[in-house]
Amino acid sequence: MNNLLNPHEWVTAHADYLYAYAKSRINDEELAKDLVQDTFLAALQKTGSFEGRSSERTWLTAILKNKIVDVYRKNSSGLKSMEIKVAEEEQREFFDKDTGHWLKEYGPKEIGIEDKDHIVSREFEQVLKNCLQKLPVLWKAVFTMKHIDEEASDNICAELKVSPANFWVIIHRAKLNLRACLQKNWI
Amino acid sequence: MNYLKKIIHNCKKATYLIDKKEMGSISLREHIELRIHLIGCSFCRIYGKQSRAINKMVQELFRSAMQPGIKLDDDFKKGLQDKIEEELNK
């Protein structure tokens, strides 16, 4: 066994952290638990590759992160086209077909979040969470990875297999629908 | 439609540039086009503010999800450590 690692203490030292990490990214408690377990078991198989250049926690988190990306990829492959079509259809109505100008009905209105120092209430946070859940899986995955981990766009493209051009379209489309959803459900 | 008119009317393009600028980069030409558009478009000015606010709120949301309050139950943890020990003794 690699003596830089101490698997006897893994659960005590890292399990809660890894669980919170997974849960915040996939929003499914049971699956998050499974991933934590898979992470520890996978880590045991490759203790030889740990060189102590990062902390034990960072190393375990990287393994977990790969597993989360696998989940994103798997979830977004199946129903992909249908789900995205519906979401795209929704935002086609936002703009005038010929000029691209906002249609009045859908145009942005102030909803109390525009001020830099506005305070986010519990209720608003819940609306935001619900709106995030409504995004197509692939869009949500791209958006989540970009925002939480502030990961380089190139990495996200490679990991989720989207082209760089498509990446920005997805970020934008996710934002359009998210914003519209907030405006609709908050006012 | 002439070039300038296109820029002035096209909120679809402008909102794309707003989102891209916020998290990545846009070209000088795009910067100028966006500026011109925003002068005349109050919808997109609001959109820009909201786009930034949403980025911040989403980041905050995930940060708060990482607070120490989220814990696994003890039974699950014990089972997990048992499995690890089992693997180690193989």
Side-chain angles (χ1 to χ4, degrees), chain B residues 2-62:
Chain B
N2 70 34
Y3 172 66
L4 195 64
K5 259 196 175 155
K6 251 187 194 156
I7 295 174
I8 291 170
H9 289 302
N10 199 341
C11 302
K12 205 172 170 177
K13 173 89 184 284
T15 52
Y16 170 79
L17 293 179
I18 288 169
D19 290 333
K20 189 169 179 207
K21 182 178 151 218
E22 198 57 44
M23 308 218 68
S25 61
I26 59 176
S27 72
L28 183 61
R29 186 199 176 102
E30 289 172 329
H31 258 289
I32 295 166
E33 290 183 358
L34 181 57
R35 277 240 167 140
I36 295 171
H37 180 89
L38 287 176
I39 291 171
C41 183
S42 60
F43 276 148
C44 287
R45 286 201 298 270
I46 296 178
Y47 184 91
K49 286 183 196 164
Q50 292 179 340
S51 174
R52 276 188 291 280
I54 290 169
N55 285 348
K56 238 175 91 187
M57 288 189 293
V58 169
Q59 280 160 2
E60 205 50 52
L61 193 68
F62 287 117

Side-chain angles (χ1 to χ4, degrees), chain A residues 81-127:
Chain A
S81 48
M82 198 50 215
E83 196 187 32
I84 290 178
K85 242 183 222 148
V86 171
E88 283 178 353
E89 203 52 52
E90 203 182 313
Q91 54 188 236
R92 196 158 301 147
E93 296 170 8
F94 295 171
F95 302 102
D96 183 286
K97 261 194 226 78
D98 300 321
T99 61
H101 199 274
W102 282 106
L103 291 178
K104 207 165 191 161
E105 201 189 334
Y106 295 97
K109 298 186 194 72
E110 301 209 344
I111 57 170
I113 59 170
E114 297 75 20
D115 190 19
K116 261 192 195 127
D117 308 310
H118 77 97
I119 293 168
V120 183
S121 65
R122 271 281 150 88
E123 292 78 18
F124 189 87
E125 220 179 74
Q126 196 51 50
V127 175

Side-chain angles (χ1 to χ4, degrees), chain B residues 43-90:
Chain B
F43 276 148
C44 287
R45 286 201 298 270
I46 296 178
Y47 184 91
K49 286 183 196 164
Q50 292 179 340
S51 174
R52 276 188 291 280
I54 290 169
N55 285 348
K56 238 175 91 187
M57 288 189 293
V58 169
Q59 280 160 2
E60 205 50 52
L61 193 68
F62 287 117
R63 213 168 299 143
S64 67
M66 286 303 288
Q67 295 301 306
I70 295 163
K71 285 195 161 62
L72 285 161
D73 59 87
D74 291 338
D75 286 346
F76 182 80
K77 281 193 206 169
K78 188 171 176 311
L80 202 51
Q81 192 61 51
D82 289 347
K83 268 189 195 127
I84 292 174
E85 298 300 333
E86 206 177 290
E87 283 297 313
L88 288 169
N89 291 328
K90 261 186 192 169

